[in-house]
Amino acid sequence: MRPKKRPVERQPTPEPTPDNIEADHELFLQAFEKPTQIYRYLRSRHVVLPVFLPRTLHYMKERSSVTNKKRRTFKVDSILASVAAKHQKDHQNRSKQDSLTVKFNGFFNHDVQTDAEHADVEIQILKNGHRKRKSAASTCASQISLGKTRIPINPASSSSSPDNGPMITHKFTHTNGSLARSAGLFVKVTCPMRHNLPNGLCNGDLHSHDEPPQKRRKNGRVSFHEEDPLLFGAALRVYDRNQQCLLGNGQYQVVLADLQPLEAPPGRAASWLSVQDTQALEPFEVFDKLPTIKFNLRWDEGGSNSLASNGSSSPRLSNHLSGTKASKLREANQSTPRKRLKLQYVFQYGNGELMRQQTEVREDLRCPWCSLLCPTLFGLLKHLRLSHPRFNFIYVPQQKGGQIEVTVNDMYDGSYIGNPQDVHSHIGYAFSRLGPVRRSPVTHVIVYRPKRPGASLTEFLEPETDGTINRQIVQGHNRLYYHTLTCQPMRPQEIDDDSEAENSPPWLFKKTVVMIDEFTDVNEGEKELMKMWNLHIMKQDFLGFSYIADCQIPKACFKFVEEHGVEILEKNLSRNFLIHLVNLFDFSLVRPEVVQRAFAMLENLRDSREVA
Amino acid sequence: MPTWSLSVSNMSDSEESTLPSMNKRQRFSAPIYNDRSEDEMDDLSSTASTLEESSRSDTPTLPGRRGRVVNKPPKKCKLQFRCSNFLKENHGQPIFGIQVNLNCSDSDPVIFATAAHNRVSVYECQEGGKIKLLQAYSDPSTEENFYCCAWSFNPVTNQPILAAAGLRGVIRVLSLSQMQCIKHFVGHGNAVNELKFHPRNCSLLLSVSKDHTLRIWNVHTSVCVLILGGVDGHRDEVLSADFTLSGARLVSCGMDHSLKIWNLDTSEIEDVIAESSKFNPAKGSKPFPTLVNHFPDFSTRDIHKNYVDCTRWLGNLILSKSCENCIVCWKPGPLDADANTSSNNNNNNKPDDSVSVLHRFDYRDCEIWYMRFCLDYQQKMMALGNQVGRIFLWDLDVEDPAQTKFTKLMHPKCGTAIRQTAFSKDGNTLLAVSDDACIWRWDRVK
């Protein structure tokens, strides 16, 4: 479906009556509906059965996620060496000790009403071993406490200096054959509670301050023992199964989950508990409203305690993936807001004197017809011009984004002139969905690298001209021809077989004979001779030449005697032949000596037969 | 008992003025006759078939009596059919063609195909008058209007294939097992009016076209084997054609009022047919040398005075009809001549154009063209629909053609032209298609 268009501007600006709008819409559809349908169809066909990948196009290079830079220097033999080197490096890295330093900034929970200034924080490491299934009697996850410290609750941001804050360090050892492969950190915060806390406000429920306390009890999220400290926790994964480090250096702000409901309320058996529903919150609100803990995390390789690097150059970052949703740094996401792009499509239509237009604003570089996401504006315009030639596109630069004027290309030749067999002549039917088939052997230039001007938007400022129009590279007969006789389409390899040669077909001989037979005022002898003569004149010699001119008649006469002399004598038609020759003389086709000579040839033939 | 009368005459070449020209394809709306007391009476009998105890047959020597009920000893026609079901295709367009798949054993269900609009639908006749739609093929072109279809099978897999063609002149070969169009043949310059497969060779497909020619195709090697037409071929649309049981000859008829017989057992044609089955277009760059035969072995314009829109062989005899309310049974040459020698018993090489008319099957209300009659597999029954929705059913299984009787099948809801009928292989089911997109199933009452 087309996205909705809204009429913005009409040049004559009539009153926008409903009738007018409808008629306008009708005109719009009339102009754009058909090509759009075609392009939608082509798009879905391309999705199902792509002929090419857009990233292979020169103006879509950015779509390709893999660069080809190494290709030039690539040698097949180098694969083993590079893999071995990588393996070696990994091995060295693993054998090293990495020490992890976590410096806490503080525990932030604005809803907690506590008079305590410090909360206890404990970091545990969770290691998941991968044992063989049979021997795994129980879970082999081990939980080791790395240490405990006290961190301030809700410190002022300025007061917390990272250098002298509470910190925990731990040394990770990578034993090579270790079964424990993935490891995670578990941060546990114990927050002591004020004793005479009003019921129900002990927990950080943000949405329901006005909710009656009794009701809140029922949802089981509230601690029933107000005297107990509140427990919060969060898990962070350090290594994944492939022993890749997911936790890079940097400052972390981690949303803590309330661990309290893990304890079932007394008097209740197991029942469904609603887990803290963070879904209700916007992704970044969680940091404001839920309890969080802030800490700096730093890896020191090989036990060296250099604090110089802030870790952004650490090789681990190269494969840093967003581990948990909440652990993403908020700043990292919001510090680089994308430049808002406004692309205005102006659809112009209407007949001659009354041009109308409708506009549609888009904020991305997706093609409106095939929703292909183009990496650049240049790529989009190039794509539009090349893939949607049923339209004309003209680019008008504006302050932000630009404007693309779309008109229906009246010059577009949508008639199907190509030979359908030519479509497959390059590749045969080798890509048939019905299995492999024989390719037709064809020699064509299939790699062609023309000199391309650099990517510049100026070429889209004016309509395509004949010179700049992108023509197909394979030129030649791109038409479907038909055999004259059978009206069947001519295959490319049959093109040299001239079926149009106007030779004397066999049926014409037959028909001539039949038509001569149908004369009623001619005697049988005359008919026989006329048949022989007519067929002789119609006949072609071995070179394909037939008699076409009067000057050839003498030659035809001699040839006739040579070829049919015996038959003439056998059928006793020599007098008929003589009359025929005289008749030719009467019509000034032959000279008298030709008559004499031709008949003499026949006489000679008769004599030689009589002798024999 | 009337004597067998012969109408032997020579073909005249003069172009006789044709009858008031009829609009092609646009079959004129049938006039409603109110004076048919017979019909009204018949209508009371609802869905059951009504019998008309008379042979409407007439001999050409008694032209004055044609159309009147000839009194004969009233003998009941033993064919009785009951309408067991009818259904309507949702396109609402006339259904022009129906064909039952006869390439099956007697135990197999009755499968038939209809050609209408841009669709070919395949149905199965089930017990109790049920008709089940199995498949429907819809042509990609909305302008297509299929006129006809024909059944054959793949000689390797024995899977049924179905050929269909119509207005656009493109012959589509549909595979029922693959549920798609596996081949198409382009070449006819205009609409295709009828398709027939060779009775002995399942690869040979005969197509009969508006472009004045007939073509024979090899559907498995995709070549056009033979073109029948040209100087002495049809001078107007060819409307119908039929192979003899052996496939050695075929008869064609068309809008030029003529019927032509073409021998296919000449060495030249047999060679080209043999070559066509071996032809592989991928191996060579030469097109298949299609043979063109311009000269029919027999031609006549003496049987009908209007468009000849259907013809069938009945042994060595030919049944043909025009829009003159009469199916003529005739044979080329004099009556006593042997069928094989009739064409070459003249010394002066002049083709013998005489014909012998044996019998006329008369009926009513069928003055529009493109109305096809059909014979059952045993060639013992003949059925023809008319433009007001009645079906005439002749019992041909009689000693003397003069004794043939017909039954008139009628249904109160069936009032439009019935274009074509088809018998199941066992002859127990008669299927008919009509202009209001309906398929009628009549089951035989034992």
Side-chain angles (χ1 to χ4, degrees):
Chain A
M1 288 301 298
R2 285 204 64 82
K4 219 176 98 187
K5 303 278 156 21
R6 52 202 161 87
V8 165
E9 184 189 338
R10 292 192 198 90
Q11 260 137 24
T13 56
E15 282 298 305
T17 59
D19 273 4
N20 249 330
I21 291 171
E22 201 166 296
D24 189 49
H25 190 65
E26 199 64 34
L27 269 173
F28 174 75
L29 285 181
Q30 207 179 331
F32 286 98
E33 192 179 26
K34 198 86 188 177
T36 300
Q37 276 177 357
I38 291 167
Y39 287 129
R40 297 270 161 186
Y41 168 76
L42 290 175
R43 177 216 161 194
S44 34
R45 197 174 71 173
H46 194 263
V47 166
V48 176
L49 200 79
V51 180
F52 63 91
L53 297 172
R55 66 165 183 251
T56 58
L57 301 170
H58 75 93
Y59 52 89
M60 293 269 185
K61 264 180 193 147
E62 292 85 347
R63 278 179 69 94
S64 175
S65 55
V66 179
T67 57
N68 298 333
K69 276 178 186 163
K70 285 182 184 168
R71 264 190 205 174
R72 276 192 197 165
T73 54
F74 176 76
K75 287 209 168 56
V76 180
D77 301 338
S78 65
I79 292 178
L80 179 65
S82 66
V83 169
K86 195 180 168 193
H87 194 76
Q88 184 72 20
K89 199 177 164 192
D90 275 7
H91 190 76
Q92 282 171 1
N93 274 344
R94 299 269 164 78
S95 59
K96 272 193 284 186
Q97 284 191 339
D98 285 351
S99 71
L100 174 73
T101 309
V102 181
K103 275 185 195 162
F104 292 97
N105 290 0
F107 172 66
F108 296 86
N109 190 348
H110 300 289
D111 296 307
V112 165
Q113 309 283 317
T114 179
D115 47 4
E117 287 188 355
H118 288 92
D120 291 325
V121 65
E122 182 185 6
I123 294 187
Q124 292 175 335
I125 188 154
L126 298 168
K127 280 186 178 172
N128 281 317
H130 295 274
R131 291 204 186 138
K132 282 179 184 164
R133 219 182 287 165
K134 274 177 188 169
S135 62
S138 62
T139 171
C140 54
S142 58
Q143 212 169 352
I144 309 153
S145 179
L146 300 184
K148 272 189 183 180
T149 185
R150 288 177 77 83
I151 56 167
I153 299 177
N154 295 340
S157 55
S158 59
S159 68
S160 66
S161 82
D163 286 337
N164 46 22
M167 57 186 275
I168 293 173
T169 50
H170 175 71
K171 285 187 176 172
F172 276 88
T173 42
H174 302 273
T175 47
N176 214 10
S178 166
L179 284 172
R181 296 181 78 181
S182 65
L185 288 181
F186 190 78
V187 184
K188 206 167 167 185
V189 177
T190 317
C191 178
M193 292 304 297
R194 199 166 62 187
H195 284 270
N196 52 356
L197 193 72
N199 190 12
L201 283 177
C202 57
N203 201 355
D205 201 318
L206 323 144
H207 303 285
S208 43
H209 281 298
D210 47 356
E211 232 176 321
Q214 285 307 312
K215 199 178 173 190
R216 295 191 53 206
R217 275 170 178 255
K218 282 182 183 167
N219 65 13
R221 292 179 47 200
V222 183
S223 165
F224 280 81
H225 315 283
E226 282 81 21
E227 299 79 21
D228 287 354
L230 289 174
L231 266 180
F232 300 96
L236 293 165
R237 184 165 254 208
V238 183
Y239 292 108
D240 68 354
R241 287 167 173 237
N242 303 321
Q243 304 221 348
Q244 285 183 327
C245 183
L246 301 178
L247 217 55
N249 290 356
Q251 190 180 42
Y252 286 78
Q253 182 175 17
V254 178
V255 177
L256 296 170
D258 190 359
L259 295 178
Q260 219 67 26
L262 291 174
E263 302 163 11
R268 269 208 185 171
S271 62
W272 288 106
L273 303 175
S274 57
V275 187
Q276 188 172 26
D277 47 351
T278 52
Q279 288 96 324
L281 299 174
E282 288 296 310
F284 297 113
E285 279 180 9
V286 291
F287 294 104
D288 288 335
K289 299 189 172 170
L290 293 182
T292 56
I293 188 168
K294 267 189 189 169
F295 56 83
N296 274 314
L297 192 143
R298 205 183 68 230
W299 291 93
D300 292 309
E301 287 184 26
S304 75
N305 281 324
S306 85
L307 295 169
S309 78
N310 68 350
S312 63
S313 61
S314 166
R316 282 186 200 82
L317 268 187
S318 61
N319 44 30
H320 171 82
L321 302 165
S322 58
T324 50
K325 218 194 292 176
S327 68
K328 270 192 179 174
L329 263 184
R330 179 187 179 183
E331 286 77 15
N333 270 304
Q334 283 201 331
S335 61
T336 54
R338 287 191 67 153
K339 214 176 86 186
R340 273 280 170 87
L341 176 96
K342 262 203 176 150
L343 212 49
Q344 197 175 21
Y345 290 87
V346 181
F347 297 91
Q348 296 178 332
Y349 54 97
N351 45 2
E353 74 279 3
L354 195 68
M355 286 302 286
R356 295 154 179 271
Q357 64 181 38
Q358 293 197 9
T359 54
E360 181 191 344
V361 178
R362 283 174 168 259
E363 296 185 348
D364 55 9
L365 289 169
R366 276 186 195 282
C367 167
W369 286 274
C370 46
S371 58
L372 178 77
L373 183 60
C374 302
T376 58
L377 186 61
F378 174 79
L380 173 68
L381 287 163
K382 201 83 180 160
H383 163 80
L384 289 175
R385 281 211 168 161
L386 291 175
S387 301
H388 305 295
R390 285 169 194 270
F391 299 116
N392 293 317
F393 298 96
I394 294 173
Y395 174 67
V396 181
Q398 284 179 344
Q399 280 155 357
K400 37 184 182 177
Q403 179 180 320
I404 298 172
E405 291 176 9
V406 188
T407 47
V408 175
N409 184 0
D410 296 324
M411 306 285 281
Y412 182 76
D413 190 3
S415 63
Y416 192 62
I417 49 153
N419 184 345
Q421 318 233 29
D422 266 347
V423 174
H424 305 284
S425 67
H426 305 273
I427 54 171
Y429 285 92
F431 300 120
S432 162
R433 270 174 277 188
L434 302 171
V437 277
R438 184 188 153 87
R439 279 174 181 238
S440 41
V442 176
T443 308
H444 270 314
V445 178
I446 55 172
V447 176
Y448 172 57
R449 292 185 196 277
K451 255 214 168 125
R452 291 200 187 90
S456 154
L457 290 172
T458 52
E459 67 174 284
F460 303 112
L461 296 179
E462 49 198 40
E464 285 177 292
T465 57
D466 274 349
T468 60
I469 212 157
N470 292 282
R471 294 192 180 281
Q472 62 188 99
I473 293 160
V474 179
Q475 299 277 340
H477 282 292
N478 195 22
R479 291 168 61 178
L480 183 56
Y481 291 87
Y482 292 89
H483 288 292
T484 320
L485 193 65
T486 60
C487 303
Q488 286 188 285
M490 197 180 273
R491 296 181 301 151
Q493 59 263 47
E494 291 166 7
I495 202 97
D496 293 331
D497 219 305
D498 186 11
S499 63
E500 219 172 22
E502 197 45 75
N503 44 14
S504 316
W507 63 265
L508 193 55
F509 290 86
K510 197 170 169 183
K511 189 66 186 172
T512 306
V513 170
V514 170
M515 284 170 77
I516 291 171
D517 272 334
E518 280 171 5
F519 283 121
T520 50
D521 52 349
V522 182
N523 68 43
E524 291 302 317
E526 284 169 318
K527 281 184 187 178
E528 282 306 306
L529 191 83
M530 281 164 82
K531 283 181 207 169
M532 277 158 67
W533 176 257
N534 277 8
L535 297 184
H536 174 72
I537 290 295
M538 280 159 61
K539 208 171 64 183
Q540 291 170 317
D541 65 8
F542 58 93
L543 286 173
F545 294 114
S546 56
Y547 299 107
I548 50 167
D550 287 355
C551 65
Q552 290 173 301
I553 294 295
K555 196 182 157 201
C557 290
F558 303 139
K559 198 89 180 161
F560 185 63
V561 178
E562 272 176 36
E563 289 178 3
H564 298 275
V566 177
E567 197 182 345
I568 293 169
L569 295 172
E570 279 173 354
K571 290 186 179 171
N572 201 18
L573 300 172
S574 51
R575 290 182 77 85
N576 293 105
F577 180 57
L578 183 59
I579 293 168
H580 175 62
L581 288 172
V582 170
N583 201 35
L584 290 175
F585 166 72
D586 283 348
F587 281 93
S588 309
L589 289 167
V590 293
R591 282 167 287 144
E593 57 265 33
V594 174
V595 177
Q596 195 269 332
R597 198 176 140 201
F599 202 72
M601 279 172 71
L602 193 67
E603 290 290 325
N604 288 341
L605 191 69
R606 188 206 306 270
D607 293 344
S608 62
R609 274 167 61 87
E610 275 169 5
V611 168
Chain B
M1 158 74 207
T3 54
W4 289 96
S5 62
L6 306 181
S7 157
V8 181
S9 56
N10 281 313
M11 180 179 154
S12 60
D13 269 353
S14 62
E15 293 286 342
E16 45 212 325
S17 60
T18 53
L19 291 180
S21 71
M22 290 193 193
N23 233 343
K24 300 174 181 182
R25 293 291 169 214
Q26 190 198 341
R27 292 88 190 186
F28 69 90
S29 59
I32 307 297
Y33 300 112
N34 292 322
D35 55 339
R36 302 277 169 180
S37 58
E38 235 174 8
D39 287 5
E40 283 160 18
M41 188 189 72
D42 290 342
D43 284 343
L44 296 175
S45 61
S46 175
T47 58
S49 63
T50 50
L51 309 177
E52 210 162 310
E53 266 72 67
S54 64
S55 158
R56 286 197 157 271
S57 64
D58 196 4
T59 55
T61 48
L62 304 168
R65 300 184 68 190
R66 188 185 305 174
R68 284 178 49 201
V69 176
V70 181
N71 288 323
K72 291 271 167 53
K75 195 177 155 195
K76 263 200 164 232
C77 176
K78 53 183 195 289
L79 296 176
Q80 289 195 51
F81 280 75
R82 197 176 56 81
C83 183
S84 58
N85 196 0
F86 72 94
L87 52 94
K88 188 165 185 167
E89 293 189 356
N90 65 359
H91 50 74
Q93 306 287 320
I95 305 178
F96 288 121
I98 181 168
Q99 289 295 328
V100 173
N101 184 11
L102 299 174
N103 304 313
C104 60
S105 66
D106 290 335
S107 57
D108 289 342
V110 177
I111 308 283
F112 67 94
T114 60
H117 193 42
N118 67 341
R119 267 186 238 178
V120 179
S121 313
V122 181
Y123 299 87
E124 179 185 328
C125 285
Q126 295 178 328
E127 290 297 315
K130 277 185 207 150
I131 299 174
K132 185 187 170 197
L133 176 65
L134 298 180
Q135 290 181 18
Y137 169 81
S138 174
D139 197 82
S141 167
T142 48
E143 282 113 53
E144 179 63 286
N145 193 0
F146 284 118
Y147 294 153
C148 49
C149 54
W151 289 91
S152 183
F153 57 92
N154 186 318
V156 182
T157 60
N158 278 333
Q159 294 287 344
I161 57 171
L162 185 61
L167 181 68
R168 292 176 69 227
V170 179
I171 301 168
R172 300 272 181 188
V173 181
L174 315 172
S175 162
L176 300 191
S177 50
Q178 294 174 44
M179 306 240 292
Q180 61 182 3
C181 172
I182 50 172
K183 267 169 194 170
H184 64 272
F185 301 128
V186 184
H188 272 303
N190 217 323
V192 172
N193 284 319
E194 190 160 40
L195 291 172
K196 279 273 163 70
F197 274 97
H198 192 277
R200 296 264 176 93
N201 186 339
C202 66
S203 300
L204 294 185
L205 173 68
L206 171 72
S207 59
V208 165
S209 169
K210 193 176 174 174
D211 68 0
H212 307 188
T213 65
L214 301 92
R215 284 181 190 228
I216 293 180
W217 309 79
N218 190 317
V219 294
H220 295 119
T221 54
S222 308
V223 292
C224 179
V225 184
L226 185 61
I227 298 176
L228 302 172
V231 264
D232 281 1
H234 284 280
R235 306 259 177 114
D236 205 336
E237 286 193 35
V238 195
L239 293 176
S240 180
D242 192 32
F243 285 104
T244 54
L245 281 178
S246 65
R249 305 167 86 193
L250 66 85
V251 59
S252 64
C253 61
M255 283 191 179
D256 56 355
H257 307 187
S258 71
L259 286 133
K260 291 177 194 288
I261 296 173
W262 311 76
N263 285 343
L264 301 180
D265 51 1
T266 61
S267 62
E268 204 180 12
I269 291 174
E270 278 174 352
D271 286 351
V272 78
I273 287 173
E275 203 179 325
S276 78
S277 58
K278 289 180 286 189
F279 186 72
N280 185 355
K283 284 205 175 133
S285 61
K286 289 262 178 195
F288 182 78
T290 304
L291 188 68
V292 186
N293 185 4
H294 291 249
F295 303 99
D297 294 273
F298 179 82
S299 183
T300 180
R301 283 166 52 98
D302 298 333
I303 306 295
H304 299 287
K305 299 272 184 290
N306 208 323
Y307 297 171
V308 189
D309 57 357
C310 191
T311 182
R312 295 289 178 270
W313 287 94
L314 184 68
N316 283 326
L317 309 177
I318 294 166
L319 294 165
S320 62
K321 76 167 276 287
S322 178
C323 23
E324 299 165 322
N325 282 335
C326 172
I327 295 173
V328 182
C329 177
W330 58 280
K331 64 170 286 189
L335 190 66
D336 52 352
D338 188 16
N340 297 326
T341 57
S342 62
S343 56
N344 50 10
N345 55 359
N346 286 352
N347 297 336
N348 56 3
N349 215 2
K350 243 187 181 173
D352 181 9
D353 286 336
S354 65
V355 291
S356 316
V357 172
L358 282 89
H359 189 70
R360 290 176 186 273
F361 300 90
D362 287 319
Y363 45 86
R364 277 203 315 243
D365 298 335
C366 192
E367 281 113 5
I368 59 176
W369 65 276
Y370 211 84
M371 304 287 276
R372 269 79 192 282
F373 63 86
C374 76
L375 296 167
D376 74 318
Y377 192 67
Q378 307 283 336
Q379 301 203 328
K380 288 180 175 171
M381 288 184 283
M382 179 167 73
L384 170 72
N386 72 2
Q387 67 207 39
V388 292
R390 313 281 188 262
I391 298 169
F392 296 90
L393 182 66
W394 285 268
D395 184 3
L396 302 181
D397 194 14
V398 288
E399 296 283 313
D400 188 321
Q403 290 175 353
T404 50
K405 306 272 187 297
F406 71 77
T407 308
K408 200 156 90 180
L409 308 180
M410 57 179 69
H411 190 281
K413 287 188 177 164
C414 183
T416 53
I418 289 184
R419 292 290 172 186
Q420 196 169 17
T421 52
F423 282 103
S424 64
K425 199 175 183 183
D426 56 9
N428 287 334
T429 305
L430 173 65
L431 295 152
V433 288
S434 59
D435 267 2
D436 54 355
C438 282
I439 300 165
W440 304 84
R441 177 177 173 175
W442 295 78
D443 283 325
R444 191 163 184 178
V445 181
K446 295 280 180 182

